[in-house]
Amino acid sequence: FHLPQRTIPAKQDMLMIKSFLALARRYRLSQKGVIAVEAAFIFPTVILMYFGMLDLIQFVTVNRRVAASSGAVADLVTANDKTVTSAQISDYYNAAYMNLKPIPSANIRVEVFNFRMVSGAPTLQWSRNSTGGSSCGNAPTGAGFPTVTDNHDTIVTRVCTSYQPFFGRFMGQTLLGTTSI
């Protein structure tokens, strides 16, 4: 039975081991390239957040303009003492279109309804719709209107348009489920 003999490494081997350990220590402490790796992870997220915030701000702006346009048309219609002509209402549509610039008027639908309280029930007297855009949905029924005495009118205006967010065009139907709001 014979035990293997242990040898002491040569000086050259010791230098090589020390240099390897020094190199390993230097790589462990080095920060080179860390910023590039972090940027590669963070940059796409920041870009998505940026475009998402742009779309949100733009959507809120369009929403406020639609509400202001509807209020402007209602104010113009109710400013008349007795009757409103179709020509006047067409001019009022132009007020809504100007308020919603740069959206093309072909993409904007303005609907005006006049309800009169008859025997305690609101009844539709007349309605006018602009030619642009798609329908805003079913006509209002008058249910839930504030209490108004008989022979008084209530004007209801609706302004509808579609908004296509940049992110929706960029990411498409797959991620968002729709490309317009």
Side-chain angles (χ1 to χ4, degrees), residues 1 3 7 16 18 34 42 66 76 93 116 137 140 149 158 160 176:
F1 178 141
L3 289 173
T7 59
M16 197 161 81
K18 283 183 180 179
V34 172
I42 294 172
V66 164
L76 291 168
Y93 294 159
R116 178 168 288 153
T149 59
R158 296 192 298 189
C160 303
L176 298 176

Side-chain angles (χ1 to χ4, degrees), residues 11 37 70 78 82 85 99-100 107 127 143 150 172:
K11 198 172 203 181
V37 172
S70 179
T78 57
K82 297 284 180 191
T85 66
N99 200 10
L100 285 168
N107 297 346
S127 67
D150 280 349

Side-chain angles (χ1 to χ4, degrees), residues 1-112:
F1 178 141
H2 187 275
L3 289 173
Q5 194 177 27
R6 227 173 102 171
T7 59
I8 299 174
K11 198 172 203 181
Q12 191 178 29
D13 290 341
M14 288 298 285
L15 286 174
M16 197 161 81
I17 291 172
K18 283 183 180 179
S19 66
F20 175 75
L21 291 175
L23 182 66
R25 192 176 308 115
R26 193 171 47 199
Y27 278 134
R28 186 175 54 92
L29 298 175
S30 175
Q31 294 294 316
K32 291 180 182 177
V34 172
I35 292 175
V37 172
E38 288 175 354
F41 284 116
I42 294 172
F43 186 71
T45 305
V46 170
I47 291 297
L48 291 176
M49 286 176 30
Y50 175 74
F51 285 120
M53 289 304 294
L54 282 179
D55 276 345
L56 179 64
I57 291 167
Q58 194 66 10
F59 176 74
V60 169
T61 301
V62 168
N63 189 30
R64 292 186 70 191
R65 285 183 176 183
V66 164
S69 298
S70 179
V73 171
D75 287 344
L76 291 168
V77 170
T78 57
N80 295 291
D81 286 337
K82 297 284 180 191
T83 60
V84 182
T85 66
S86 292
Q88 288 173 317
I89 290 179
S90 293
D91 288 340
Y92 303 156
Y93 294 159
N94 290 333
Y97 299 151
M98 286 189 297
N99 200 10
L100 285 168
K101 287 282 185 201
I103 298 172
S105 59
N107 297 346
I108 301 170
R109 174 74 167 221
V110 181
E111 299 178 348
V112 181

Side-chain angles (χ1 to χ4, degrees), residues 120-169:
T123 56
L124 181 64
Q125 297 297 306
W126 57 264
S127 67
R128 300 287 183 276
N129 300 325
S130 68
T131 57
S134 58
S135 176
C136 296
N138 296 332
T141 61
F145 282 169
T147 306
V148 179
T149 59
D150 280 349
N151 297 322
H152 285 83
D153 293 354
T154 300
I155 300 294
V156 176
T157 59
R158 296 192 298 189
V159 177
C160 303
T161 188
S162 63
Y163 170 69
Q164 186 175 20
F166 174 78
F167 193 68
R169 279 180 263 154

